[in-house]
Structures are given as C-alpha cells and as structure tokens.
Amino acid sequence: MSEQVIQIEQHGGVRLLRLNRPEALNAFTTGMLGQLRQALDAAADDAGTRCVLLTGAGRAFSAGQDLADPQVAPSRDPAAAPKDIGLMLEHHYIPLALRLRSMPVPVVAAVNGVAAGAGASLALGCDLVLAGESASFIQAFSKIGLIPDCGGTWLLPRLVGRAKALEMALLGEKLKAADAAALGLISRVLPDAELADAALAVARKLAGMPTRALAETRRAMDEALRLDFDAALRREAVLQSQLGFSHDYLEGTAAFLDKRPPEFKDR
Ligand code: LHQ
C-alpha cells in the first residue's frame, strides 16, 4: 500500500485535510495528488461534512509539483524521449482543480508557510484563503521555464488585476502574506501561532451555515465572471428561485422571525 500523505481529521462538520510530506515542503507527487482528490471526493460524499479545511504539515503549505518526480523531471539523457508534462496536468491537476471548485461545501485554505507553483494555484482556488504572517506565495513557474498552471492564469488577473498578476508571474518573487492580503489575493492574515485555531473557527462557522447556498454563491460568482450584467441578474434569479424552495430558506426565515438560532441541513 502506498504511503498516506494526506492526513484526514474530522472536527464536527469540518473535514480537515493536511498535506503531509513536510520533508519536501509538501511538494506534490502523483500519488499525493490522487490521495488529495480521493479525500475531496470522500468529503463531498459525506453528509456530515459541511466544510473542508486544507492546510500543510510543517513549515510549508506546498512547494507545488515535486520536481524530482520521474514523471515530470526532464531526463538528462539526450537520447531519452522528452516527457509531455501537459499530460500530468490533464490527468492529475485539472481534475483536482475542478474538484476543489465544484465541492458541494465551502473550502478554506489555511496557508501555514510557503505556497509555490501549483501549491499557490490550488490554495488560491479555495473559497477563503487565510494565511499565517510568515506564509508567502511564489509564482515559481517562470523560474523553471513554465507558465502558471492549475488555474493560475485564470485566477491571478481576476484576483489582483493584469498588472500585478503579470508582475507576480513574470518575476516569480516571494509575496509575503500581508502583501498578498493588501492586494486582495487572499482574505486574512493571522499570527502564525493562531492560524490553525482561527482557520478551524472560520471553517466551523461556515459548517453551521446554509451549505447549499454557500456552494451556489461560489458557482454564481464564477459563472458571473463570464456573463454580462443582464445575464448575471437572470442567472441569480434562476438560482434564487431554486433556493427559495429549499429547507434552509424556510428554516432561515423561520428562525429569524422566531428569534432563535437556525438549524440548516441542505447540502
Ligand atoms: C522540493 C520542492 C519541489 C521537490 C522544495 N520538488 N522537492 C505541474 C505539472 C508538471 C510539471 C511541472 O509543474 C507543474 C506545476 C508546478 O508546481 S511548477 C513549480 C514547482 N515548484 C517550484 O518550482 C518550487 C521549488 N521550490 C523552491 O523554490 C523552494 O524550495 C521554496 C521557495 C518553495 C522554499 O525554499 P526554502 O525555504 O529555501 O526551502 P528549500 O529549497 O531548502 O527546500 C526544502 C526541501 O524541500 C529541499 O530538500 P532537501 O532534501 O535539500 O532538504 C528541497 O529540495 C525540497 N523541495 N520544493 N517543488
């Protein structure tokens, strides 16, 4: 059996997934990518899980693709056939990025250290990104002759605008958590010692909220990015119409009028 490199913990309605190859700064091997996808599928299928929290073990969130992985590292033998690393994206990273973006529950990233390359793209693709003050984000791709992948070219200009996105992607410099928050790349920075508890508290809060409405909010915003205003208004009406028939809408309004805490259960 292959080594377990994704640690899984359940904290009430929160499924915590911890990338766990600290000796390689949680760089992604093929096996790790597969385990992470399986763990996300399992969280999506588990009715008791209402929020996913993604973090890293040790001093990093993730250094991105493991560059020593024989499937990816170019052979130094000039006679060897070159590898098509696009296939690595097709088979592993694209399904993972799509899985994260289509989870039926909100996904929080707690970035506990450096997030580089695909590690940065995956963190930034989460719904809420919290970071410790010593965390940093590096678009490491240009340094090894590649472009941002795993959604980086889509996410970065939308999050920070073209000028800053290109500066980050071309120069590949380390961006500190505080600067990332000031740019609007991530949502909050916390003292390192408080990150784990604060991220769990945010995840627990989300887990107590109307899960289906939260997932539809993400979907509506992602869709709106490619719609004009008129079409976005109409799309909102379609989704609102569906949610208007949900248990959670009934419960949310009843709880408000009864002046009691709501008990949401849709997913
Ligand atoms: C690593 C890695 C790593 C292996 C640190 N791999 N071991 C998708 C599909 C296909 C192909 C290619 O790419 C992609 C997407 C991508 O993600 S491309 C971008 C890949 N990532 C990088 O280029 C980042 C490489 N790492 C770094 O630049 C540095 O390690 C950072 C800035 C992240 C951290 O620097 P330091 O804090 O100084 O740590 P370190 O460099 O000393 O690393 C600690 C150890 O982790 C070290 O191993 P060692 O045995 O010497 O202690 C590194 O070799 C290992 N490590 N990143 N990506």
Side-chain angles (χ1 to χ4, degrees):
M1 221 180 105
S2 61
E3 190 195 355
Q4 193 60 37
V5 285
I6 305 294
Q7 282 179 351
I8 303 173
E9 294 171 13
Q10 192 76 23
H11 299 266
V14 178
R15 177 77 50 104
L16 187 151
L17 306 180
R18 187 180 290 109
L19 309 174
N20 189 32
R21 288 187 73 226
E23 68 288 355
L25 305 187
N26 303 319
F28 290 111
T29 57
T30 311
M32 187 172 176
L33 292 165
Q35 284 184 26
L36 180 56
R37 186 137 64 98
Q38 273 177 12
L40 288 168
D41 284 343
D45 290 346
D46 175 37
T49 293
R50 301 179 70 84
C51 184
V52 166
L53 176 56
L54 184 62
T55 193
R59 70 178 177 93
F61 178 78
S62 168
Q65 169 64 39
D66 188 316
L67 297 175
D69 186 335
Q71 287 200 41
V72 167
S75 170
R76 295 176 198 224
D77 173 2
K83 289 168 192 139
D84 181 350
I85 55 173
L87 294 176
M88 186 76 184
L89 295 175
E90 286 287 348
H91 295 149
H92 299 285
Y93 284 100
I94 293 175
L96 181 57
L98 290 174
R99 172 72 282 189
L100 268 178
R101 207 73 177 178
S102 64
M103 287 293 284
V105 300
V107 184
V108 177
V111 181
N112 53 301
V114 66
S121 298
L122 288 174
L124 298 175
C126 293
D127 301 321
L128 278 187
V129 187
L130 314 182
E133 59 198 352
S134 70
S136 57
F137 296 83
I138 309 179
Q139 296 300 314
F141 310 91
S142 60
K143 294 190 196 167
I144 55 168
L146 298 177
I147 62 165
D149 60 22
C150 230
T153 60
W154 190 92
L155 287 164
L156 291 173
R158 283 172 171 79
L159 289 168
V160 298
R162 183 177 188 273
K164 277 290 168 190
L166 274 173
E167 181 187 326
M168 287 162 57
L170 299 184
L171 294 177
E173 290 171 350
K174 187 179 273 196
L175 184 71
K176 289 182 185 154
D179 296 330
L183 281 171
L185 190 69
I186 62 172
S187 57
R188 291 184 204 173
V189 184
L190 294 139
D192 289 329
E194 291 171 24
L195 177 69
D197 286 349
L200 188 55
V202 168
R204 280 189 196 277
K205 178 175 181 179
L206 288 168
M209 292 179 68
T211 308
R212 184 175 157 199
L214 303 187
E216 292 293 48
T217 301
R218 173 217 298 133
R219 183 151 74 121
M221 286 200 183
D222 283 352
E223 286 178 4
L225 288 168
R226 51 187 153 75
L227 298 177
D228 60 25
F229 186 58
D230 186 79
L233 286 170
R234 283 161 215 290
R235 185 67 184 137
E236 287 170 2
V238 169
L239 294 172
Q240 211 70 301
S241 164
Q242 293 165 3
L243 290 168
F245 295 111
S246 70
H247 163 273
D248 283 356
Y249 173 60
L250 196 69
E251 169 63 9
T253 48
F256 175 77
L257 295 173
D258 298 348
K259 300 189 189 304
R260 63 171 172 81
E263 274 187 54
F264 295 116
K265 61 179 189 190
D266 286 334
R267 211 170 163 273

Short mmCIF file of all heavy atoms in Angstrom, two decimals, residues 8-17 42-54 103-108 199-209 211 214 264 266-267:
data_model
loop_
_atom_site.label_atom_id
_atom_site.label_comp_id
_atom_site.label_asym_id
_atom_site.label_seq_id
_atom_site.Cartn_x
_atom_site.Cartn_y
_atom_site.Cartn_z
N ILE A 8 -6.14 13.08 7.42
CA ILE A 8 -7.56 13.45 7.44
C ILE A 8 -8.05 13.47 8.88
O ILE A 8 -7.85 12.50 9.62
CB ILE A 8 -8.39 12.45 6.60
CG1 ILE A 8 -7.84 12.41 5.18
CG2 ILE A 8 -9.87 12.82 6.62
CD1 ILE A 8 -8.45 11.35 4.28
N GLU A 9 -8.67 14.58 9.27
CA GLU A 9 -9.26 14.69 10.62
C GLU A 9 -10.66 15.24 10.49
O GLU A 9 -10.92 16.07 9.62
CB GLU A 9 -8.46 15.68 11.49
CG GLU A 9 -7.05 15.25 11.83
CD GLU A 9 -6.26 16.39 12.50
OE1 GLU A 9 -6.86 17.40 12.92
OE2 GLU A 9 -5.03 16.25 12.56
N GLN A 10 -11.55 14.79 11.37
CA GLN A 10 -12.91 15.34 11.38
C GLN A 10 -13.10 16.16 12.65
O GLN A 10 -12.85 15.66 13.75
CB GLN A 10 -13.94 14.19 11.32
CG GLN A 10 -15.35 14.64 11.03
CD GLN A 10 -15.58 15.01 9.56
OE1 GLN A 10 -14.86 14.55 8.68
NE2 GLN A 10 -16.56 15.86 9.31
N HIS A 11 -13.49 17.40 12.52
CA HIS A 11 -13.79 18.27 13.66
C HIS A 11 -15.24 18.72 13.52
O HIS A 11 -15.51 19.73 12.85
CB HIS A 11 -12.86 19.49 13.67
CG HIS A 11 -11.40 19.13 13.79
ND1 HIS A 11 -10.74 19.10 14.99
CD2 HIS A 11 -10.47 18.78 12.86
CE1 HIS A 11 -9.48 18.75 14.81
NE2 HIS A 11 -9.28 18.55 13.51
N GLY A 12 -16.15 17.95 14.08
CA GLY A 12 -17.57 18.26 13.90
C GLY A 12 -17.91 18.19 12.42
O GLY A 12 -17.61 17.20 11.74
N GLY A 13 -18.47 19.28 11.87
CA GLY A 13 -18.82 19.29 10.45
C GLY A 13 -17.66 19.66 9.54
O GLY A 13 -17.83 19.80 8.33
N VAL A 14 -16.46 19.83 10.11
CA VAL A 14 -15.30 20.25 9.31
C VAL A 14 -14.40 19.06 9.01
O VAL A 14 -13.95 18.35 9.92
CB VAL A 14 -14.48 21.33 10.05
CG1 VAL A 14 -13.25 21.73 9.25
CG2 VAL A 14 -15.35 22.55 10.35
N ARG A 15 -14.11 18.83 7.73
CA ARG A 15 -13.14 17.79 7.33
C ARG A 15 -11.81 18.50 7.05
O ARG A 15 -11.71 19.29 6.11
CB ARG A 15 -13.66 17.10 6.07
CG ARG A 15 -12.78 16.03 5.45
CD ARG A 15 -12.79 14.70 6.16
NE ARG A 15 -14.08 14.12 6.47
CZ ARG A 15 -14.67 13.11 5.84
NH1 ARG A 15 -14.09 12.57 4.80
NH2 ARG A 15 -15.83 12.63 6.24
N LEU A 16 -10.83 18.21 7.91
CA LEU A 16 -9.52 18.85 7.75
C LEU A 16 -8.61 17.93 6.93
O LEU A 16 -8.47 16.75 7.27
CB LEU A 16 -8.90 19.13 9.13
CG LEU A 16 -7.60 19.94 9.14
CD1 LEU A 16 -7.49 20.73 10.44
CD2 LEU A 16 -6.37 19.10 8.97
N LEU A 17 -8.05 18.44 5.87
CA LEU A 17 -7.11 17.68 5.03
C LEU A 17 -5.76 18.36 5.13
O LEU A 17 -5.63 19.55 4.82
CB LEU A 17 -7.59 17.66 3.57
CG LEU A 17 -9.02 17.18 3.32
CD1 LEU A 17 -9.34 17.22 1.83
CD2 LEU A 17 -9.24 15.79 3.88
N ALA A 42 -14.35 11.99 -1.04
CA ALA A 42 -14.96 11.40 0.17
C ALA A 42 -15.65 12.48 1.00
O ALA A 42 -16.76 12.27 1.52
CB ALA A 42 -13.89 10.69 0.99
N ALA A 43 -15.02 13.65 1.09
CA ALA A 43 -15.64 14.75 1.86
C ALA A 43 -16.93 15.20 1.18
O ALA A 43 -17.93 15.49 1.84
CB ALA A 43 -14.66 15.92 1.99
N ALA A 44 -16.90 15.25 -0.15
CA ALA A 44 -18.09 15.67 -0.90
C ALA A 44 -19.23 14.68 -0.69
O ALA A 44 -20.40 15.06 -0.63
CB ALA A 44 -17.76 15.79 -2.39
N ASP A 45 -18.89 13.40 -0.56
CA ASP A 45 -19.91 12.35 -0.42
C ASP A 45 -20.41 12.18 1.01
O ASP A 45 -21.36 11.45 1.25
CB ASP A 45 -19.35 10.99 -0.89
CG ASP A 45 -19.15 10.96 -2.39
OD1 ASP A 45 -19.68 11.86 -3.06
OD2 ASP A 45 -18.44 10.06 -2.88
N ASP A 46 -19.74 12.80 1.96
CA ASP A 46 -20.09 12.59 3.37
C ASP A 46 -21.08 13.66 3.84
O ASP A 46 -20.74 14.84 3.93
CB ASP A 46 -18.81 12.66 4.23
CG ASP A 46 -19.14 12.56 5.70
OD1 ASP A 46 -20.07 11.81 6.05
OD2 ASP A 46 -18.50 13.26 6.50
N ALA A 47 -22.29 13.23 4.15
CA ALA A 47 -23.36 14.18 4.50
C ALA A 47 -23.02 14.98 5.76
O ALA A 47 -23.50 16.09 5.94
CB ALA A 47 -24.67 13.42 4.71
N GLY A 48 -22.16 14.41 6.64
CA GLY A 48 -21.82 15.11 7.88
C GLY A 48 -20.75 16.17 7.71
O GLY A 48 -20.46 16.92 8.64
N THR A 49 -20.13 16.22 6.53
CA THR A 49 -19.08 17.21 6.29
C THR A 49 -19.69 18.43 5.61
O THR A 49 -20.27 18.31 4.53
CB THR A 49 -17.96 16.60 5.44
OG1 THR A 49 -17.31 15.59 6.21
CG2 THR A 49 -16.93 17.65 5.02
N ARG A 50 -19.55 19.59 6.24
CA ARG A 50 -20.18 20.80 5.71
C ARG A 50 -19.16 21.89 5.41
O ARG A 50 -19.51 22.99 5.00
CB ARG A 50 -21.24 21.30 6.68
CG ARG A 50 -22.32 20.22 6.94
CD ARG A 50 -23.37 20.68 7.91
NE ARG A 50 -24.22 21.72 7.37
CZ ARG A 50 -25.28 21.49 6.60
NH1 ARG A 50 -25.62 20.25 6.28
NH2 ARG A 50 -26.00 22.48 6.14
N CYS A 51 -17.89 21.56 5.58
CA CYS A 51 -16.81 22.48 5.19
C CYS A 51 -15.51 21.68 5.13
O CYS A 51 -15.33 20.76 5.93
CB CYS A 51 -16.67 23.61 6.21
SG CYS A 51 -15.44 24.85 5.74
N VAL A 52 -14.65 22.01 4.17
CA VAL A 52 -13.32 21.38 4.08
C VAL A 52 -12.27 22.43 4.41
O VAL A 52 -12.37 23.57 3.96
CB VAL A 52 -13.09 20.77 2.68
CG1 VAL A 52 -11.63 20.41 2.47
CG2 VAL A 52 -13.96 19.53 2.49
N LEU A 53 -11.30 22.02 5.21
CA LEU A 53 -10.19 22.90 5.57
C LEU A 53 -8.90 22.24 5.07
O LEU A 53 -8.61 21.10 5.42
CB LEU A 53 -10.16 23.07 7.10
CG LEU A 53 -9.04 23.88 7.73
CD1 LEU A 53 -8.96 25.28 7.15
CD2 LEU A 53 -9.26 23.96 9.24
N LEU A 54 -8.17 22.97 4.23
CA LEU A 54 -6.96 22.42 3.61
C LEU A 54 -5.74 23.15 4.15
O LEU A 54 -5.69 24.40 4.11
CB LEU A 54 -7.07 22.61 2.08
CG LEU A 54 -5.98 22.04 1.20
CD1 LEU A 54 -5.89 20.52 1.32
CD2 LEU A 54 -6.26 22.42 -0.27
N MET A 103 -16.83 21.67 -5.21
CA MET A 103 -17.21 20.98 -3.97
C MET A 103 -18.59 21.47 -3.52
O MET A 103 -18.90 22.66 -3.64
CB MET A 103 -16.18 21.26 -2.87
CG MET A 103 -14.86 20.54 -3.05
SD MET A 103 -15.00 18.75 -2.87
CE MET A 103 -15.13 18.58 -1.10
N PRO A 104 -19.41 20.56 -2.98
CA PRO A 104 -20.74 20.98 -2.52
C PRO A 104 -20.68 21.72 -1.19
O PRO A 104 -21.72 22.11 -0.67
CB PRO A 104 -21.49 19.64 -2.39
CG PRO A 104 -20.42 18.64 -2.12
CD PRO A 104 -19.20 19.11 -2.85
N VAL A 105 -19.49 21.87 -0.65
CA VAL A 105 -19.30 22.58 0.64
C VAL A 105 -18.19 23.61 0.43
O VAL A 105 -17.35 23.46 -0.46
CB VAL A 105 -18.89 21.59 1.76
CG1 VAL A 105 -19.95 20.52 1.95
CG2 VAL A 105 -17.54 20.95 1.49
N PRO A 106 -18.16 24.66 1.26
CA PRO A 106 -17.06 25.62 1.13
C PRO A 106 -15.71 25.01 1.47
O PRO A 106 -15.64 24.09 2.30
CB PRO A 106 -17.44 26.74 2.12
CG PRO A 106 -18.49 26.21 2.99
CD PRO A 106 -19.13 25.04 2.31
N VAL A 107 -14.67 25.53 0.83
CA VAL A 107 -13.31 25.03 1.09
C VAL A 107 -12.45 26.20 1.56
O VAL A 107 -12.36 27.23 0.89
CB VAL A 107 -12.68 24.43 -0.20
CG1 VAL A 107 -11.31 23.84 0.12
CG2 VAL A 107 -13.59 23.37 -0.79
N VAL A 108 -11.86 26.03 2.73
CA VAL A 108 -10.99 27.06 3.31
C VAL A 108 -9.55 26.58 3.22
O VAL A 108 -9.26 25.43 3.55
CB VAL A 108 -11.35 27.28 4.81
CG1 VAL A 108 -10.42 28.29 5.46
CG2 VAL A 108 -12.81 27.71 4.96
N ALA A 199 -8.42 29.32 11.67
CA ALA A 199 -8.95 28.71 10.44
C ALA A 199 -10.02 27.68 10.77
O ALA A 199 -11.06 27.60 10.10
CB ALA A 199 -7.81 28.07 9.64
N LEU A 200 -9.80 26.92 11.85
CA LEU A 200 -10.81 25.94 12.25
C LEU A 200 -12.09 26.65 12.70
O LEU A 200 -13.20 26.21 12.39
CB LEU A 200 -10.25 25.04 13.37
CG LEU A 200 -11.13 23.85 13.77
CD1 LEU A 200 -11.48 22.96 12.57
CD2 LEU A 200 -10.44 23.02 14.85
N ALA A 201 -11.92 27.78 13.40
CA ALA A 201 -13.12 28.52 13.84
C ALA A 201 -13.90 29.05 12.63
O ALA A 201 -15.14 28.96 12.60
CB ALA A 201 -12.69 29.68 14.75
N VAL A 202 -13.21 29.55 11.63
CA VAL A 202 -13.89 30.03 10.41
C VAL A 202 -14.58 28.86 9.71
O VAL A 202 -15.73 28.96 9.27
CB VAL A 202 -12.89 30.73 9.46
CG1 VAL A 202 -13.51 30.97 8.10
CG2 VAL A 202 -12.43 32.05 10.05
N ALA A 203 -13.87 27.73 9.64
CA ALA A 203 -14.45 26.55 8.98
C ALA A 203 -15.68 26.06 9.74
O ALA A 203 -16.69 25.67 9.16
CB ALA A 203 -13.40 25.45 8.85
N ARG A 204 -15.61 26.06 11.08
CA ARG A 204 -16.77 25.63 11.89
C ARG A 204 -17.95 26.58 11.66
O ARG A 204 -19.10 26.15 11.59
CB ARG A 204 -16.41 25.65 13.38
CG ARG A 204 -15.62 24.44 13.85
CD ARG A 204 -15.55 24.51 15.39
NE ARG A 204 -14.54 23.65 15.94
CZ ARG A 204 -14.69 22.35 16.18
NH1 ARG A 204 -15.82 21.76 15.86
NH2 ARG A 204 -13.71 21.65 16.72
N LYS A 205 -17.65 27.86 11.57
CA LYS A 205 -18.72 28.84 11.32
C LYS A 205 -19.39 28.54 9.99
O LYS A 205 -20.62 28.47 9.89
CB LYS A 205 -18.13 30.26 11.33
CG LYS A 205 -19.16 31.32 11.03
CD LYS A 205 -18.59 32.71 11.16
CE LYS A 205 -19.71 33.72 10.87
NZ LYS A 205 -19.27 35.09 10.99
N LEU A 206 -18.58 28.33 8.95
CA LEU A 206 -19.14 28.01 7.63
C LEU A 206 -19.94 26.71 7.68
O LEU A 206 -20.99 26.59 7.04
CB LEU A 206 -18.02 27.88 6.59
CG LEU A 206 -17.35 29.20 6.18
CD1 LEU A 206 -16.07 28.91 5.40
CD2 LEU A 206 -18.29 30.06 5.35
N ALA A 207 -19.45 25.73 8.47
CA ALA A 207 -20.14 24.43 8.55
C ALA A 207 -21.53 24.57 9.16
O ALA A 207 -22.40 23.74 8.91
CB ALA A 207 -19.29 23.44 9.36
N GLY A 208 -21.74 25.62 9.95
CA GLY A 208 -23.05 25.84 10.56
C GLY A 208 -23.97 26.68 9.69
O GLY A 208 -25.11 26.95 10.07
N MET A 209 -23.50 27.09 8.54
CA MET A 209 -24.29 27.97 7.66
C MET A 209 -25.02 27.14 6.59
O MET A 209 -24.82 25.94 6.48
CB MET A 209 -23.36 29.02 7.06
CG MET A 209 -22.85 29.99 8.13
SD MET A 209 -21.73 31.23 7.50
CE MET A 209 -22.84 32.19 6.50
N THR A 211 -25.20 25.37 3.74
CA THR A 211 -24.15 24.85 2.86
C THR A 211 -24.50 24.99 1.37
O THR A 211 -23.67 25.41 0.56
CB THR A 211 -23.93 23.36 3.18
OG1 THR A 211 -23.71 23.25 4.57
CG2 THR A 211 -22.76 22.79 2.43
N LEU A 214 -24.15 28.44 0.14
CA LEU A 214 -22.74 28.85 0.05
C LEU A 214 -22.12 28.31 -1.24
O LEU A 214 -21.40 29.03 -1.95
CB LEU A 214 -21.94 28.37 1.26
CG LEU A 214 -22.43 28.79 2.65
CD1 LEU A 214 -21.42 28.36 3.72
CD2 LEU A 214 -22.64 30.29 2.74
N PHE A 264 -29.56 24.55 9.88
CA PHE A 264 -29.52 24.31 8.44
C PHE A 264 -29.14 22.86 8.17
O PHE A 264 -28.35 22.27 8.90
CB PHE A 264 -28.51 25.25 7.79
CG PHE A 264 -28.91 26.70 7.91
CD1 PHE A 264 -28.15 27.60 8.64
CD2 PHE A 264 -30.06 27.16 7.29
CE1 PHE A 264 -28.52 28.94 8.74
CE2 PHE A 264 -30.44 28.49 7.38
CZ PHE A 264 -29.67 29.37 8.12
N ASP A 266 -29.58 21.53 4.43
CA ASP A 266 -29.42 21.24 2.99
C ASP A 266 -27.94 21.15 2.63
O ASP A 266 -27.09 21.75 3.25
CB ASP A 266 -30.04 22.37 2.14
CG ASP A 266 -31.55 22.31 2.17
OD1 ASP A 266 -32.11 21.22 2.38
OD2 ASP A 266 -32.16 23.38 1.98
N ARG A 267 -27.69 20.41 1.54
CA ARG A 267 -26.33 20.27 1.10
C ARG A 267 -26.31 20.13 -0.40
O ARG A 267 -27.25 19.66 -0.98
CB ARG A 267 -25.72 19.02 1.74
CG ARG A 267 -24.26 19.12 1.98
CD ARG A 267 -23.84 17.96 2.82
NE ARG A 267 -22.41 17.79 2.74
CZ ARG A 267 -21.79 17.08 1.80
NH1 ARG A 267 -22.48 16.48 0.87
NH2 ARG A 267 -20.49 16.96 1.80
#
